[in-house]
Amino acid sequence: MVKRKASKVEDLLSEDKCVSADSSAIRYVRVNTLKIDVNEALEELRQSFQVEQDDLIPELLAVPMAMEMYKHPLLLNGALILQGKASCMPANALAPDPDWEVLDACAAPGNKTVQLAALMKGRGNILACEINKKRLNRLLETVKLAGASNVKVFLQDFLKLDPNAPSFSKIRAILLDPSCSGSGTALQRLDHLLPSSTTGQKIDAIEMKRLEALAQFQQKALQHALSFPGVERVVYSTCSIHQRENEDVVQFVLSYASGLGFQLATPFPSWPQRGLPIFEGAHHLLRTEPSKDLEGFFIALFVRRSLQDPQMTKLNESYSRTTNREVRSKNHASQSNLDDIKNNKMSIQQPV
């Protein structure tokens, strides 16, 4: 604020056209179909607001930014969820069947988790994994408010899960939205107006080091997700605009993914913005731009070729055995806890 000689956030907003709260600005709310029908939500909201249904994601509604939504009864009871369009796209890209077992690998704060629950019509089984206890409490609150009874939450490091454990043998799809730089949401957070902003400048050495550390973690997490032997679909997503966290991570795992029978698929084929053309097949990737879509997101969808092929089954078993032998030895105790969670149907714990 010192940089722009402003005394408060409102002054920054008034100076910046990209985030100005004019009458044409919109925000998105997602209809939680576990609690209310889209048409019912539209009818109720249109009594007070001008509302438009999104043409790509039917459960998503656009309302004027100037309209006060935070105290609306449908928001307070979990029937509506404030969620950006780009943030809604990864779960829709995963498109799990209603009766599948799905793993949300880095689940908190839980908007995508409960969106998956709604897409699955409250059926199937969603395992929501979170490593941080404080964020776990937020996840539990989100799940409870949404009425997502098919979600089971547990505290664990995703990288320490054993893909070959019996508890995970039925996992058919994984949503991996790992920690990232958050550079795609900087516009919403007004980071570009702060004195420390590097917008329009080269990334400095400290930020580059942080990006590299994040990318190394993201590569490990994506390889780990692909190693679950029963998985058919994996979505890797970030709210980053950086190639290092996006296309570079996907390119790094391509050979490994191919060896397990995965190939890149094209989520939302009509979406115009695709991946940076740094390798063959990057057109399958999807990007959203902060300046056009309010947020900058990246999505990669991996789909495994038929698991019914005996050669594929043998290859998957061989890859998984080699890759995860060390992980299995380290996580016997934690796996027992996960078995308890699943067998005892401990779907929603109370926040602590």
Side-chain angles (χ1 to χ4, degrees), residues 47-74:
Q47 295 177 16
S48 307
F49 307 126
Q50 179 183 351
V51 184
E52 295 296 332
Q53 188 173 10
D54 188 69
D55 57 357
L56 187 69
I57 301 173
E59 302 83 22
L60 200 61
L61 309 179
V63 299
M65 183 72 76
M67 296 297 184
E68 180 58 65
M69 286 292 300
Y70 293 100
K71 296 181 181 179
H72 196 283
L74 292 182

Side-chain angles (χ1 to χ4, degrees), residues 1-198:
M1 288 186 285
V2 174
K3 180 182 179 182
R4 299 287 289 269
K5 296 182 180 180
S7 60
K8 54 185 184 295
V9 171
E10 287 77 7
D11 293 337
L12 294 177
L13 282 170
S14 65
E15 290 182 24
D16 196 276
K17 294 180 181 179
C18 293
V19 291
S20 62
D22 61 35
S23 59
S24 64
I26 62 167
R27 67 155 55 96
Y28 288 101
V29 292
R30 182 174 59 79
V31 178
N32 177 13
T33 53
L34 295 173
K35 288 197 167 186
I36 190 173
D37 179 78
V38 173
N39 289 332
E40 185 181 349
L42 275 169
E43 184 178 348
E44 183 160 344
L45 287 175
R46 280 174 174 163
Q47 295 177 16
S48 307
F49 307 126
Q50 179 183 351
V51 184
E52 295 296 332
Q53 188 173 10
D54 188 69
D55 57 357
L56 187 69
I57 301 173
E59 302 83 22
L60 200 61
L61 309 179
V63 299
M65 183 72 76
M67 296 297 184
E68 180 58 65
M69 286 292 300
Y70 293 100
K71 296 181 181 179
H72 196 283
L74 292 182
L75 201 72
L76 295 176
N77 71 12
L80 293 179
I81 296 172
L82 287 172
Q83 188 171 355
K85 180 171 180 173
S87 175
C88 289
M89 294 172 76
N92 282 76
L94 189 64
D97 285 353
D99 296 315
W100 276 10
E101 190 156 295
V102 176
L103 176 61
D104 190 349
C106 306
N111 281 352
K112 296 181 185 70
T113 311
V114 298
Q115 184 186 0
L116 285 171
L119 288 170
M120 295 168 67
K121 307 180 190 304
R123 291 155 49 186
N125 191 26
I126 299 171
L127 299 179
C129 179
E130 174 55 44
I131 190 174
N132 183 280
K133 189 172 183 179
K134 185 177 290 188
R135 286 171 58 82
L136 179 89
N137 288 331
R138 173 73 183 280
L139 171 61
L140 289 166
E141 291 168 357
T142 302
V143 170
K144 184 176 181 179
L145 181 62
S149 59
N150 57 338
V151 174
K152 298 176 174 57
V153 173
F154 62 98
L155 183 67
Q156 182 60 278
D157 180 351
F158 169 63
L159 289 178
K160 293 183 178 178
L161 298 185
D162 177 6
N164 291 298
S167 299
F168 302 122
S169 62
K170 295 181 181 179
I171 296 289
R172 303 281 293 279
I174 295 179
L175 176 61
L176 176 64
D177 188 62
S179 297
C180 72
S181 64
S183 53
T185 61
L187 188 66
Q188 296 290 323
R189 299 195 313 262
L190 308 181
D191 290 5
H192 62 300
L193 302 179
L194 298 176
S196 59
S197 173
T198 57

Side-chain angles (χ1 to χ4, degrees), residues 90-91 93-94 174-177 222 233-237 299-302:
L94 189 64
I174 295 179
L175 176 61
L176 176 64
D177 188 62
L222 182 50
R233 297 171 72 86
V234 173
V235 159
Y236 170 72
S237 65
I299 300 173
L301 170 62
F302 293 84

Side-chain angles (χ1 to χ4, degrees), residues 264-292:
L264 287 172
T266 309
F268 302 103
S270 62
W271 190 259
Q273 295 145 244
R274 312 311 302 190
L276 301 178
I278 65 167
F279 61 85
E280 186 177 354
H283 64 279
H284 293 295
L285 310 175
L286 182 149
R287 277 178 170 266
T288 69
E289 297 298 331
S291 59
K292 298 178 182 178

